[in-house]
Structures are given as structure tokens and as C-alpha cells.
């Protein structure tokens, strides 16, 4: 089989939109039945914006419980996504037929630590892209030992690398647990997963970052992500994807759209090529097709309105320096990226705050400071400069204190008059 | 405390553990994506005063029913106090019928996303908390 030459359909689309000054917007959307899924993709394709389609799989498929997915389909029970393996590749190919194409590539989104069956299915169905990673889909989303997830993801990357039409792979490393993970750690994980993908033969990839609690800090973080991607992944066809806030979401329509539009402006201002949106009903339930369409149009319009002026000075609070330190240190811990990742987590040198997975040290802590910036409360074993000074920020965390931090953006956007922090 | 087999959400579990501990509870947190068999074997091993199931991915109704039937079908666990809460379906908290079905199948109580925390703690025989409502946390959905 001839090795892939140049980027695949997904990246070509993103590049084209980017050269036309358009932000690619994408939903997180999946429905149980073929009819709903197809209707969803149709509606997203028809949105007045540069959109790519999404098939989000359901959570049974994510944990390889395909029997439960099949049972739910037979009983007509509600699934929270599209059970791609239970439906099978042929059915999925039909869902994509006549919809997916050069002007509308489709990504399969999942959350699986052991995604071999899913990857076989999405490749056979002709999907353009998928996402995840050995760390980002293991520690927050499974009980699978990290070493096992690393092996499974290595195998899956090699499967994708062997296909003549490249399948794009995006790292979910920039989203760990959605909130309260310091920006430099998010960036490091995304770059490290990118390096892992590259090590296993992939060249058509993206790195991610999720909007946090302070726009200036997020601008700095995305700038650092891009600089590090250029340095470490410069020989790949990479782009960056931003996620609209993945934590506790505002409940009011106004608040929800306020946060969504802020993420679209952040994407436009930071030169991010693609944005994964959230909807107005995110806080309470899985959104409908119309609600997704509405969110995509809102985000696209907000990005267009944001004048792409000469970027003002990029703030420097040390995010780049911290991330570079984490990445370079991690890579010394193993003979390849996968081994280095496993060893780094075993030592607590990589550590996701609050993550309960048995292979995560769960010693480091983050907090939201009085300027609304997401900072370290205690880096514990994570090797960043000035770690010892930062450890003094640690305070005993109460349920109330945690809830206050988790709901920081919800409060800020639902009740702007009650909070003094800048938007 | 546990999630259900298909649910990977964690913030709800982190928060509830802190809350229960602050109110005098002693918590063994089994974490996310817990297979039914693990929940049952841990309950048989630990013999807790109560099992708290927290889930927000929308499969709580399906997974919760399956789990409670297994729990109630086991002679060693038939009388253990078991409560479930969170976001149990994909349509928001609207279906009183599904709550009734969960109770009919053996749950001692069902708490949807905006349930009163005092009632929840009271049900477990614990004290009054500071925060007023259970957080409707969502950490991700790919």
C-alpha cells in the first residue's frame, strides 16, 4: 500500500476555510438511530458557515459494551450517541453516503480507551477523522490501565497510518476533565499525544485546547500551544482546535450563548482553525439538531464579527515555559513517547488534578485565582519551574469551594451583575 | 459511592465525596465506568451503610435499573440502602414515570439533578450541608 501523500479530506477542508479567513465550526452531536443521525448531519452541512460533521458515538460503544447498545436499539431505548459498532460499518457508510465529501468531511467522536473495533468500523465506513488519545481517553474516561490504552492506541494509530486516504486524528489532550486542569498541562498533554500519533506514523493531526476561565490567559495558552506544535510537530499537517468551555455550563440561554460567543472570539483572535461548540441547553440535556444548528451559526457569526486586527501583545505568565518543561522532561522518561507517558504518570510527574483513575497520582491541584485565572494550587510532582513556591498556594478544599470553582463560568455568564471578574 | 458502567463523569463523584465526608460520612469512591460486578463485589466486601450511585450521562435510567435488579437479586445485598441521582435520562428531569420505575425496582430514593441536598443527606442519615443544591456537573461529552 502506498504511504499517504499530503493531508486528507478533513485537513484539506480546514486549510481551505482557514485560507478564506473562516473559522471551521463543529458540533458534538450523536443520535441513536440512522434516521436521526442522518438528519443531524444534513442539518449541520446546511448551516451557513464552514462546518464539518460529527458523529458522536454513545457511551456503550465507548466502553465496548456493544451488546447493551444493540439491546437499546432493539428496544427503541434512548441512546446518547450513535452506536457505530452495533450498527456496523455498512450501515454507517450509508449514513455518510451523499453527505460526507470534500465540502463536508465528517469526524467520529467517541471517548474510548480501547477503540480498535470502533476504528475498524469508522475506517470501513469511510469516515474522514476521529479523535482522542492514549491518555486523554483513558484517564478521564475509563478504568483501563494506562499501559493497555497506550498499546491499543499505538495499534489504532498504525491502522490509520496504513490507509491510502489519510484519516485525521485529533488529540483530546487539551480538555482533561473539562475544567480545573492548568493550561500548561493541557497543552503539554496535547503535544505529547501529537508526538505519540506522529511516532506511530500519522502526519494528519490536530492539537486541542479547551476554553477555561480567563480570556487573556486562554490567548496566551493557545499562542503557546501553536508555538510548541510548530516546534515539536512541524513536520506534520497539524492545526489547532478549540473547545467551547467543557465544564459546568451556564443554564440560561443568554449565559450559554455568551460563553459560546466568547469562545468563538477567542478562536478568531488566536488564529485557531476549528471550534467545537456548545449549545444553549448544554447544562440540562443532550441538545437537539436545531439547537446544534443555532449554536453553530451563532459561533460562526461571532467569529466573523471579531476583527482580525494585528494581535495585541500576547501576555506571558509562563505558560509556554511550563509546558515546554513538562514535555521535555516527560520525553526523558522512556525510549518512546508511549513508555514515557506511562512512566510519567506512574511517577506523578504527569498528574491530572482530581482525576480518580487508578493510574493517576491525583496529587496536583489547580485553583481559580482572584483575577479569574486558572492557576496551580499545588503542582505536586509536575516538573514546572518554581513548583515549590506554587505548592504554598494549596488550601484545604471543601465541597463548597470545589463547587464555587466548578461553577465559576456558569455564575459569571448567568449572573454577570453579581460577579466582578472580567468577561 | 459509584457511577454506572457506561458513565465516565467524575466531577459529580469528586464533589459528592467531599460533601459526604464533610457531613460525617466515610466514603469509598469506586470512580467512573464501574462494571456492575465490581460494584457488587465491593459492596459485599465493604458492607457499606449505603450505596450512592451518581450518574449524569443520560444512561442512568437504563444502567441503574439493570444494576438495582442485580443488587436486589443477590441475597447478600437485598436489604442494603441504595440511592441513585444525577441526570438519569437524555431529556432532562421530566419523567416522573422513570423515577417511579427505579423505586419500584428497588432503589430507596431517586434524586434528579436539582434535588434538595438536605433530603439527600437526610436519607443517608447525615448532617446539614453548606451548599444548597447538587451540582449538575458535566465534564465532557465528546
Amino acid at each position: 500500500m502506498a504511504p499517504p501523500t499530503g493531508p486528507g479530506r478533513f485537513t484539506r477542508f480546514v486549510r481551505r476555510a482557514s485560507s478564506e479567513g473562516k473559522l471551521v465550526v463543529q458540533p458534538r452531536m450523536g443520535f441513536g438511530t440512522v434516521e436521526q443521525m442522518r438528519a443531524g448531519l444534513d442539518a449541520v452541512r446546511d448551516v451557513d458557515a464552514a462546518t464539518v460533521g460529527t458523529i458522536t458515538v454513545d457511551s456503550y460503544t465507548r466502553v465496548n459494551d456493544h451488546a447493551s447498545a444493540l439491546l437499546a436499539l432493539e428496544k427503541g431505548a434512548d441512546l446518547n450517541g450513535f452506536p457505530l459498532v452495533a450498527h456496523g460499518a455498512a450501515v454507517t457508510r450509508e449514513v455518510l453516503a451523499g453527505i460526507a465529501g470534500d465540502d463536508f468531511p465528517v469526524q467520529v467522536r467517541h471517548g474510548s480507551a480501547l477503540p480498535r473495533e470502533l476504528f475498524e468500523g469508522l475506517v470501513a465506513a469511510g469516515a474522514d477523522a476521529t479523535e482522542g488519545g492514549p491518555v486523554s481517553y483513558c484517564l478521564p474516561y475509563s478504568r483501563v490501565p494506562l499501559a493497555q490504552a497506550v498499546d491499543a492506541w499505538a495499534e489504532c494509530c498504525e491502522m490509520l497510518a496504513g490507509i491510502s486516504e489519510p484519516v485525521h486524528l485529533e488529540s483530546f489532550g487539551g480538555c482533561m476533565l473539562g475544567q480545573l486542569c492548568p493550561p500548561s498541562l493541557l497543552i503539554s498533554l496535547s503535544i505529547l499525544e501529537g508526538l505519540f500519533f506522529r511516532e506511530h506514523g500519522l502526519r494528519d493531526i490536530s492539537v486541542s485546547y479547551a476554553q477555561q476561565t480567563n480570556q487573556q490567559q486562554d490567548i496566551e495558552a493557545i499562542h503557546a500551544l501553536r508555538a510548541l506544535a510548530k516546534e515539536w510537530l512541524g513536520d506534520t499537517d497539524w492545526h489547532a482546535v478549540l473547545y467551547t468551555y467543557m465544564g459546568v455550563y451556564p443554564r440560561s440561554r443568554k449565559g450559554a450563548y455568551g460563553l459560546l460567543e466568547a469562545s468563538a472570539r477567542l478562536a478568531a483572535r488566536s488564529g485557531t482553525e476549528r471550534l467545537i461548540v456548545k449549545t444553549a441547553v448544554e447544562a440540562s440535556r443532550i441538545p437537539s439538531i436545531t439547537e446544534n444548528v443555532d449554536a453553530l451559526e451563532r459561533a460562526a457569526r461571532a467569529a466573523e464579527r471579531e476583527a482580525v486586527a494585528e494581535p495585541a501583545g500576547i501576555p506571558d505568565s509562563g505558560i509556554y515555559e511550563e509546558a515546554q518543561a513538562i514535555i521535555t522532561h516527560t520525553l526523558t522518561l522512556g525510549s518512546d513517547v508511549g513508555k514515557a507517558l506511562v512512566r510519567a504518570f506512574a511517577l506523578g510527574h504527569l498528574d491530572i488534578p482530581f482525576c480518580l483513575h487508578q493510574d493517576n497520582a491525583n496529587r496536583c491541584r489547580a485553583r481559580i485565582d482572584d483575577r479569574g485565572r486558572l492557576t496551580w494550587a499545588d503542582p505536586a510532582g509536575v516538573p514546572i519551574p518554581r513548583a515549590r513556591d506554587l505548592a504554598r498556594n494549596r488550601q484545604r478544599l471543601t465541597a463548597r469551594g470545589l463547587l464555587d470553582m466548578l461553577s465559576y463560568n456558569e455564575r459569571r455568564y448567568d449572573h454577570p451583575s453579581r460577579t466582578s471578574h472580567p468577561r | 459511592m459509584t457511577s454506572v458502567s457506561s458513565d465516565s463523569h467524575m466531577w459529580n463523584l469528586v464533589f459528592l465525596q467531599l460533601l459526604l465526608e464533610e457531613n460525617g460520612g466515610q466514603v469509598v469512591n469506586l470512580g467512573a465506568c464501574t462494571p456492575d460486578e465490581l460494584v457488587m463485589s465491593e459492596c459485599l466486601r465493604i458492607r457499606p451503610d449505603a450505596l450512592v450511585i451518581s450518574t449524569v450521562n443520560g444512561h442512568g435510567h437504563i444502567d441503574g435499573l439493570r444494576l438495582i435488579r442485580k443488587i436486589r437479586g443477590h441475597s447478600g445485598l437485598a436489604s442494603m440502602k441504595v440511592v441513585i441521582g444525577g441526570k438519569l435520562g437524555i431529556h432532562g428531569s421530566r419523567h416522573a414515570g422513570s423515577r417511579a420505575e427505579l423505586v419500584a425496582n428497588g432503589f430507596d430514593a431517586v434524586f434528579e439533578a436539582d434535588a434538595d441536598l438536605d433530603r439527600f443527606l437526610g436519607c443517608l442519615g447525615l448532617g446539614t450541608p453548606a451548599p444548597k443544591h447538587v451540582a449538575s456537573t458535566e465534564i465532557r461529552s465528546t
Side-chain angles (χ1 to χ4, degrees):
Chain A
M1 194 178 297
T5 50
R9 198 156 77 173
F10 191 85
T11 293
R12 291 199 302 270
F13 178 85
V14 172
R15 291 253 181 283
R16 195 167 75 229
S18 183
S19 70
E20 292 165 3
K22 287 183 196 158
L23 173 67
V24 174
V25 289
Q26 182 180 355
R28 293 147 59 250
M29 186 165 87
F31 300 102
T33 67
V34 167
E35 295 70 28
Q36 282 175 300
M37 195 65 250
R38 211 179 150 98
L41 288 170
D42 271 332
V44 171
R45 187 187 52 180
D46 293 343
V47 166
D48 177 22
T51 54
V52 293
T54 299
I55 294 179
T56 299
V57 306
D58 70 295
S59 12
Y60 291 122
T61 302
R62 186 166 52 69
V63 294
N64 287 304
D65 183 2
H66 307 301
S68 288
L70 211 50
L71 194 66
L73 282 182
E74 282 164 8
K75 286 185 172 173
D78 287 327
L79 284 168
N80 60 6
F82 183 77
L84 192 149
V85 177
H87 278 308
V91 170
T92 308
R93 183 171 274 280
E94 271 173 47
V95 169
L96 294 173
I99 299 180
D102 286 335
D103 292 322
F104 189 64
V106 175
Q107 182 183 45
V108 173
R109 306 188 58 84
H110 55 104
S112 184
L114 302 173
R116 191 174 55 81
E117 279 178 279
L118 182 62
F119 272 50
E120 284 168 353
L122 69 91
V123 165
D128 299 288
T130 186
E131 45 88 60
V135 173
S136 60
Y137 274 174
C138 175
L139 296 183
Y141 295 137
S142 80
R143 310 183 75 85
V144 174
L146 181 59
Q148 196 185 335
V150 163
D151 289 347
W153 275 87
E155 188 190 347
C156 287
C157 287
E158 281 156 22
M159 184 198 306
L160 295 190
I163 302 164
S164 53
E165 171 69 14
V167 176
H168 178 85
L169 185 60
E170 166 198 327
S171 163
F172 194 68
C175 297
M176 308 300 288
L177 266 72
Q179 52 189 335
L180 294 185
C181 185
S184 60
L185 195 47
L186 293 175
I187 292 167
S188 308
L189 288 166
S190 203
I191 297 287
L192 285 163
E193 285 195 333
L195 286 166
F196 178 88
F197 298 163
R198 181 177 166 281
E199 185 170 85
H200 293 286
L202 297 179
R203 293 292 179 272
D204 191 331
I205 61 181
S206 48
V207 290
S208 59
Y209 181 74
Q211 177 190 23
Q212 299 295 330
T213 53
N214 178 296
Q215 206 207 25
Q216 282 302 305
Q217 185 184 33
D218 285 342
I219 285 180
E220 179 187 345
I222 297 169
H223 189 74
L225 175 68
R226 300 192 74 89
L228 289 161
K230 261 181 220 157
E231 284 174 48
W232 290 100
L233 303 166
D235 59 350
T236 68
D237 288 303
W238 68 272
H239 70 267
V241 55
L242 175 69
Y243 284 74
T244 303
Y245 190 57
M246 295 286 278
V248 177
Y249 212 70
R251 292 165 187 235
S252 68
R253 187 180 165 84
K254 198 171 172 214
Y257 279 143
L259 189 49
L260 170 67
E261 290 178 357
S263 71
R265 291 195 299 272
L266 173 63
R269 224 194 256 189
S270 59
T272 303
E273 289 89 346
R274 183 158 59 96
L275 175 72
I276 312 279
V277 305
K278 282 229 176 182
T279 67
V281 300
E282 214 65 43
S284 55
R285 58 180 165 81
I286 292 187
S288 67
I289 294 173
T290 315
E291 286 154 352
N292 270 299
V293 165
D294 210 27
L296 290 166
E297 288 183 344
R298 284 227 172 212
R301 296 299 89 78
E304 284 164 8
R305 284 195 302 271
E306 184 73 9
V308 189
E310 201 52 28
I314 306 292
D316 183 6
S317 67
I319 295 176
Y320 171 89
E321 187 192 7
E322 285 182 11
Q324 186 73 286
I326 296 169
I327 295 164
T328 47
H329 172 78
T330 300
L331 293 174
T332 65
L333 297 176
S335 54
D336 60 38
V337 181
K339 290 193 183 79
L341 286 168
V342 172
R343 180 97 179 114
F345 276 101
L347 293 169
H349 295 180
L350 287 176
D351 185 1
I352 313 302
F354 304 101
C355 175
L356 301 169
H357 192 283
Q358 70 274 12
D359 290 338
N360 186 55
N362 194 12
R363 290 202 311 266
C364 85
R365 287 289 177 268
R367 67 182 183 119
I368 297 171
D369 73 11
D370 51 11
R371 289 181 296 163
R373 298 166 56 90
L374 178 57
T375 56
W376 298 93
D378 181 358
V382 180
I384 56 164
R386 297 174 294 280
R388 210 166 288 172
D389 298 340
L390 289 165
R392 286 200 286 269
N393 289 333
R394 188 159 185 149
Q395 290 171 337
R396 199 179 82 86
L397 186 65
T398 61
R400 169 91 261 173
L402 177 68
L403 200 53
D404 276 351
M405 292 199 293
L406 290 174
S407 54
Y408 176 81
N409 271 341
E410 179 194 18
R411 250 188 348 267
R412 200 160 63 114
Y413 281 89
D414 274 347
H415 308 290
S417 58
R418 284 192 232 159
T419 48
S420 55
H421 293 157
R423 298 275 285 267
Chain B
M1 190 166 67
T2 185
S3 182
V4 291
S5 59
S6 78
D7 190 2
S8 63
H9 290 79
M10 260 176 211
W11 288 115
N12 46 324
L13 302 174
V14 176
F15 168 74
L16 281 176
Q17 176 166 5
L18 284 171
L19 182 80
L20 293 172
E21 287 172 349
E22 281 166 23
N23 285 278
Q26 214 184 335
V27 177
V28 179
N29 192 339
L30 299 183
C33 293
T34 35
D36 297 353
E37 291 64 35
L38 178 77
V39 176
M40 292 178 63
S41 63
E42 285 297 283
C43 286
L44 287 165
R45 186 176 69 80
I46 299 163
R47 294 281 165 192
D49 296 318
L51 173 66
V52 175
I53 301 172
S54 172
T55 170
V56 296
N57 76 342
H59 284 177
H61 183 75
I62 305 175
D63 288 344
L65 267 184
R66 188 191 63 237
L67 178 57
I68 196 66
R69 283 173 182 151
K70 286 188 195 171
I71 288 174
R72 294 310 183 208
H74 191 290
S75 57
L77 300 172
S79 62
M80 176 175 65
K81 181 177 282 185
V82 187
V83 304
I84 187 167
K87 296 177 190 170
L88 304 178
I90 65 169
H91 300 297
S93 11
R94 283 186 310 202
H95 296 292
S98 15
R99 282 197 292 280
E101 191 182 8
L102 289 165
V103 170
N105 278 272
F107 279 106
D108 293 286
V110 178
F111 300 91
E112 297 260 7
D114 282 311
D116 182 66
L117 271 194
D118 291 345
R119 195 168 75 80
F120 166 66
L121 290 166
C123 172
L124 300 174
L126 298 174
T128 310
K132 283 185 109 158
H133 292 283
V134 176
S136 55
T137 50
E138 170 162 3
I139 61 165
R140 55 63 78 176
S141 176
T142 59

